[in-house]
Structure formats: structure tokens, C-alpha cells
Amino acid sequence: MTVTARVRSSELRQTGTVTKNRARRRRIDAWKAFLYVVPALAFSLTFLIVPTFQTAWYSFYNWNGLSAATWAGVQNYVNIVQDEKLRDSFLHVGVLVVFYSFIPIVIALLLTMVISRAHALRGMSFYRTVLFLPQVIASVVVATTWLSIYSPNGLLNTALRGVGLDSLTKVWLGDFSTALVSVGFVGTWLNVGLCLVLFLSGVGNVQPELFEAARLDGASSLQEFFGITLPALRGQITVALTLTVVSSLKTFDLVYITTRGGPGDATTVPAYEAYNRAFNSGQVGSAASVAVVLTIGILIITALIGRLQPKETE
Amino acid sequence: MKISLPEKLVTYLVLTFFAAFALVPLLGVVITAVTPSSTSGGFQIPRSIDLGNFVEAWNRGHFASYLLSSITVVVAVVVITTVLSVLAGFAFARLRFFGSNIIFFVILAGLLLPAEAFIIPLYYNLRSAHITDSYWALILPQVAQSLAFGIFWMRNQFMTFPNEVIEAARLDGASDLRTLWQIIVPPSAPSIMTMCLLISMWTWNEFLIPLVMVTRDDLRTAPLGLAFFQGQHATDYALLAAAGIIIAAPIVILYFFLQKRFISGMLGGISSR
């Protein structure tokens, strides 16, 4: 802003005259500037913002999607705490966060400690491409892939039998004790590569002299990690946390394709409950309240993680 | 910087292990897809390669129609989003107007809001407008979602554009719009390209919006088609694998050619949020 102001004033000095015409033209310019953003704003308001407020409105009603809605007060929200199925759906997300976010970040950090200078190696671009690959595959395809891997005669059970561990074979997605963990592990598979690529590129930005100096001073690799690598990666860790935690909270496609929340309610998640209640079981108000809680949760967590972000990152 | 031989070996070992971790499930899909359907009682290394599954999946699954529908939606979303993002991104980066901060924040909200936040009323609104079960219901909401990213991306790009060039064009009497299209957009083409790639990928892979908005078979996009196909052929994993490959292939091929743009865009776009 100040730059434009300075340029403007120098421009004025050049022309030498400040006329009323110019002031009027600037006011017209301001209106024209408005026109540049109006279409985008209209899209945003019509399809995202207004419906979001409507969701909040819906959540105070009982409505089956067809007949007249009746006022429900906060009952739908009370149900989220009292209804075991809904409460569990939020607890399941807690488990998924561990698999989607915590485990990939810890693994990737440990690996970054061991291979901190991988970015300088030949062939790194190939590895980066492969590690990042799961991120670009449609979630529905990822889901059918793992559905097949976890199937009774799928890759996983076949491999277990191949090494003589027949006793461990299971119907992974059909078993109450393993279904949620199996879904979560897909998240680990998705995100380990993402975190690793992110952290290795972050370490690549550290000046090599820092590491050289630390080694000359006789720092152990552990000291090097906590003294140099970890602080340098703060920005990348924040990004990884945001991406992975938000993606775990939003889990829908994977559950819809692989388990539909089953067996029983063992793998149901809020996004699936919101969808299922709104469009299948005629509990639109309840669905909206789940959506509201999920949205607020995502906004709060994003804001909290954002506070970890160092200010000077680009 | 010299890296000692043991360190190199360990590094390659770790990288290879995790690359394999990423690849094994995908290779499993490819192998399953070329296993002759008659023998596919379970996962096995096939003795012969059979591409019949692709043909059968293609024909039985109406994938020609699904892919066409996906392409239509992606092209429309990318074109509309790009034009509107360039315009708005320019205004936010270069023009001063009343309320610009508030408007920017409102549009940016689209980056934070999960689809669950708005999809339920949106469905009923669009149904009242009689445009569910049409391309509009697939295209318009996804434009709104993509705009949040697109405007943010273009604004960042345009803010780094050298001021002197723009002022020079202004002094020559060029209007804002002309300055934008003739002076600013051409050198920004690579960054616009990256934005188009990312939006294409997200739109191609989108599942929830098509799932909610359309029921007509000829409107189903590729991922929705796959989900539907899976519902019908639940345990025919060879067919499912072939169908999955057909759907993932366009984006994966693009990715292999343009991986740098994908990776830097996906990581950079979010990290600078």
C-alpha cells in the first residue's frame, strides 16, 4: 500500500498538476476494482458461505427432508454427546488422527534425522515422485485398492500365509477389533511420504555450513537433530500437522467405500454420519448439528496449529 | 558437501524401503488388474498377462460415459475458476478498494470450510432451483471451492510482479484490464498452469459433491462411477482394479510428467496460507 502511495505521489509530481478529474477517476477506478471481485464473491456467498449458515440453522430443527420441520432447540447437539453412535464417531476420529497425523510425522522426523542430507543425493527426484504418489490418486481408487488388499484372499492375507503366519490372517475390515485400525493404516500409507518429502525439503533449506560447524564442534547426531534440524523444520511440521489432521477429520470417501461405518458402528466417522443422516435416514437436523461441530472443530484445530507457525516463513 | 559412503547407503536403503511401502499396494492393483478374471480367487502372481479385465470393466461399467462426464466438469471448473481467479487475484494484489480485506477473507473461508459445512443445505437449495441432477450442480459448487485456492494463489503471484512494469504501462495509458491481460498474465503463465493442474486434479478426484448432487447414470463422474461399480461387483477385485486404474491414470500420467509443479504447488500453496 505504501509503495503504491509513494509511486502515485511521484507520478503526480511528474505531471505537476493535481486535478479534480483525477480524483474522480480514482473513485471510478475503485468501483471498477469492485467488479473484478464480484463474480468470485457471488460464487463464494451462494455456494459456500450462505449454505454454511443455513447448516447452523438446520441444526436447531427436526427435519426429515420432506415434511415440515419442527423446532428442536439444542436437542440435536445434546444427542451428539448422549447418542453412543454419534459420540463414537467423534472418538473414532481421535484414533484416525493418530494414524493419519501422529505416526506419519514421527516416522518422517525419525527418518529425517537419519537421512538428513538425502536431498543432495542423486536420484532424489525419483524418490520424491514415488513417495508423493499416493497424494495424487483419487481417494475412491485408494479405497478400492485397500479394500482388495484387506479382502480375505487379498494381498495382505496372502503375504501372511506366504511367510507361515496363517494364524494372523483376518477379514481385516470385517472384524470389530481390526476394522478401525485398518482404515487408519491407509492414512499412514497416504501421509508418510508426504511428511517425508516435506521435511527433507525443509532440511535442504538449512545452510550446510551449520551442519559442518556442528560436526567440527563434535556434536552428536542427536544434538544436531535437536539443535539444528528440528528448529529449522518448525514451519514444515506445522504444514504437515495442518494437512494431515484436517484430512483425518474430513475422512469420508475411505469409510464410505470400504466399510460404510461397519462392522456395526466400529468405523463410523462424523463426516459419514452427517452424510448418511442427511441423505439416507432422513435426520437432516441431526446431520447438520454433526456438520457444525465438525466444522468448528476443524476451524479451531487449524487456528491452534497455525499459532505454531513461525512468523518469518514465506 | 561430501556425504560418506555409509551414510549414502543408509539413506538409499531408507528411501527405497519407503518408496516400496508407497508402491507395493499400487503394484498389487496393477497385478490384480492383469490377472485373468476366471482365476482370480485371490491375490496371486499371474502366469499370463490378460488385459481383458480392462475391456470388460470399460464396457460393463459405462466408463466411457463417466470419463466424458468427468472431463466436462473438469474443463468447465478449470476455465471458469481460472478467469475469475486471475481477475480477482489481480484486484486483491494491485487495486485498492473499499472492503477488500473483508471480501478477501470471505472468499478465503472456502479454503478452511470442509464440504460437510455447506453440502446439506446446498443440496436442498439447488434442488429448489431445479438444478440437481445436472452439470450445473457438479460445476458451480466446485468452482466456488476452487476459487478460494485460485484467488489466493493468483494474488500471491501478482504481488511479486515488479511494480515498475505496471506503472510504466499505466503511464502509457493502458487500462487496468489491458495491463492485466497483456503485461501481467503472459509472464505469469507457469504459475497459472500449476493452478490449473491442481484444480484439475482436485476436481477429477472429487467424490462427495457428485455423490450428493446427481443420481442420473450419464452424469456420474469417474470416482462416483467407480463407487457405483464397486457396489455391483463387490468382490470381483480384478475388474475393480482395472476400473480403478482407468480412473487414476489420467492424473497419474500428468503427475509423472509434471511432478515438480504438483509437489511444489500442493505444498507451497498450503504452507503459505
Side-chain angles (χ1 to χ4, degrees):
Chain A
M1 298 283 166
T2 48
V3 177
T4 22
R6 219 178 302 136
V7 173
R8 283 245 169 92
S9 65
S10 74
E11 181 190 326
L12 292 181
R13 236 175 288 128
Q14 276 170 9
T15 44
T17 45
V18 185
T19 60
K20 276 190 181 154
N21 259 343
R22 202 171 256 281
R24 190 195 293 157
R25 219 190 83 195
R26 198 158 315 143
R27 221 174 306 135
I28 296 172
D29 282 352
W31 273 107
K32 275 197 208 147
F34 228 66
L35 292 179
Y36 285 80
V37 300
V38 160
L41 182 65
F43 264 101
S44 198
L45 286 175
T46 316
F47 297 101
L48 308 181
I49 307 296
V50 170
T52 299
F53 284 104
Q54 282 176 289
T55 305
W57 182 242
Y58 281 23
S59 71
F60 295 109
Y61 285 89
N62 283 322
W63 188 37
N64 61 12
L66 301 166
S67 54
T70 56
W71 179 254
V74 294
Q75 191 55 45
N76 287 325
Y77 289 95
V78 174
N79 282 348
I80 292 179
V81 186
Q82 288 181 342
D83 184 321
E84 203 180 340
K85 190 175 179 183
L86 286 178
R87 201 175 53 210
D88 283 353
S89 76
F90 281 92
L91 296 180
H92 293 158
V93 160
V95 176
L96 291 187
V97 169
V98 173
F99 280 93
Y100 273 69
S101 190
F102 188 71
I103 295 177
I105 288 178
V106 169
I107 291 178
L109 275 178
L110 289 176
L111 292 177
T112 307
M113 181 160 68
V114 182
I115 59 170
S116 62
R117 298 197 282 181
H119 61 94
L121 284 185
R122 198 180 303 165
M124 189 52 209
S125 137
F126 163 77
Y127 285 110
R128 197 182 297 124
T129 308
V130 171
L131 288 169
F132 204 78
L133 181 60
Q135 294 292 320
V136 305
I137 295 175
S139 53
V140 175
V141 176
V142 168
T144 53
T145 299
W146 284 90
L147 197 59
S148 143
I149 291 172
Y150 286 138
S151 66
N153 293 312
L155 183 54
L156 182 54
N157 282 341
T158 308
L160 285 174
R161 282 187 208 112
V163 293
L165 291 169
D166 297 53
S167 58
L168 287 181
T169 59
K170 274 196 178 63
V171 187
W172 296 93
L173 291 167
D175 192 312
F176 277 91
S177 59
T178 55
L180 186 60
V181 171
S182 302
V183 170
F185 185 74
V186 179
T188 307
W189 176 75
L190 275 173
N191 289 341
V192 164
L194 170 79
C195 295
L196 198 54
V197 169
L198 201 55
F199 296 162
L200 287 178
S201 84
V203 177
N205 293 335
V206 180
Q207 288 172 332
E209 293 81 36
L210 267 177
F211 287 112
E212 304 286 335
R215 288 199 184 170
L216 282 179
D217 289 348
S220 69
S221 59
L222 215 60
Q223 284 172 321
E224 194 179 288
F225 178 73
F226 283 104
I228 304 173
T229 313
L230 204 57
L233 286 182
R234 229 174 105 186
Q236 279 78 17
I237 294 172
T238 318
V239 173
L241 266 176
T242 314
L243 284 177
T244 54
V245 172
V246 170
S247 77
S248 67
L249 293 178
K250 289 205 276 199
T251 306
F252 172 78
D253 306 5
L254 187 58
V255 166
Y256 181 92
I257 302 282
T258 54
T259 65
R260 301 260 171 151
D265 299 321
T267 58
T268 194
V269 287
Y272 182 74
E273 283 302 317
Y275 165 81
N276 198 33
R277 280 162 193 255
F279 300 111
N280 289 329
S281 65
Q283 300 166 275
V284 180
S286 169
S289 70
V290 174
V292 168
V293 173
L294 182 63
T295 304
I296 292 175
I298 287 177
L299 294 181
I300 290 177
I301 288 173
T302 313
L304 286 180
I305 297 173
R307 298 185 73 172
L308 296 172
Q309 179 101 25
K311 287 289 172 282
E312 71 277 22
T313 33
E314 64 292 318
Chain B
M1 180 165 59
K2 286 198 75 168
I3 302 174
S4 63
L5 191 63
E7 189 181 344
K8 253 188 199 169
L9 280 179
V10 170
T11 306
Y12 277 126
L13 214 65
V14 169
L15 285 174
T16 306
F17 178 81
F18 279 87
F21 180 61
L23 278 182
V24 162
L26 301 175
L27 288 179
V29 174
V30 175
I31 291 171
T32 310
V34 297
T35 305
S37 213
S38 52
T39 60
S40 76
F43 183 82
Q44 53 185 298
I45 305 295
R47 280 194 206 89
S48 62
I49 288 178
D50 178 12
L51 297 177
N53 290 318
F54 288 93
V55 179
E56 204 179 336
W58 181 270
N59 291 334
R60 276 215 266 167
H62 310 175
F63 279 102
S65 149
Y66 299 152
L67 292 181
L68 189 69
S69 180
S70 272
I71 290 168
T72 311
V73 173
V74 167
V75 169
V77 170
V78 168
V79 169
I80 302 173
T81 306
T82 305
V83 173
L84 296 185
S85 299
V86 167
L87 287 173
F90 170 70
F92 285 124
R94 289 291 166 180
L95 305 175
R96 299 176 62 184
F97 54 99
F98 181 73
S100 64
N101 284 337
I102 294 174
I103 298 176
F104 185 62
F105 182 78
V106 167
I107 293 176
L108 218 59
L111 276 179
L112 298 171
L113 290 176
E116 284 74 23
F118 50 80
I119 191 88
I120 300 168
L122 186 59
Y123 167 76
Y124 288 103
N125 294 352
L126 297 186
R127 200 178 67 172
S128 317
H130 304 292
I131 57 170
T132 49
D133 250 335
S134 77
Y135 276 118
W136 296 117
L138 295 174
I139 293 166
L140 300 179
Q142 297 200 71
V143 169
Q145 274 190 306
S146 309
L147 272 175
F149 172 78
I151 290 174
F152 183 70
W153 181 262
M154 289 324 305
R155 171 180 165 269
N156 283 359
Q157 167 67 24
F158 292 155
M159 287 206 318
T160 62
F161 199 85
N163 219 351
E164 303 78 45
V165 183
I166 298 176
E167 285 306 323
R170 275 199 186 140
L171 285 180
D172 286 347
S175 67
D176 283 340
L177 205 59
R178 235 185 98 196
T179 313
L180 176 61
W181 288 120
Q182 297 191 344
I183 312 288
I184 303 181
V185 165
S188 308
S191 138
I192 296 177
M193 230 317 248
T194 304
M195 178 186 77
C196 291
L197 273 181
L198 293 178
I199 294 175
S200 304
M201 176 182 73
W202 288 323
T203 310
W204 185 271
N205 293 349
E206 173 65 36
F207 179 60
L208 181 63
I209 290 179
L211 175 69
V212 169
M213 293 297 169
V214 301
T215 53
R216 260 168 54 192
D217 188 59
D218 60 320
L219 287 174
R220 288 198 180 109
T221 57
L224 186 58
L226 178 60
F228 192 70
F229 191 69
Q230 185 252 324
Q232 290 177 319
H233 307 269
T235 53
D236 198 335
Y237 295 110
L239 272 189
L240 267 180
I245 291 172
I246 292 173
I247 286 161
I251 299 294
V252 171
I253 290 169
L254 269 183
Y255 170 72
F256 278 131
F257 282 107
L258 302 162
Q259 45 98 4
K260 280 217 173 87
R261 282 175 191 280
F262 272 94
I263 296 176
S264 70
M266 284 173 78
L267 297 180
I270 291 140
S271 56
S272 53
R273 197 183 270 178

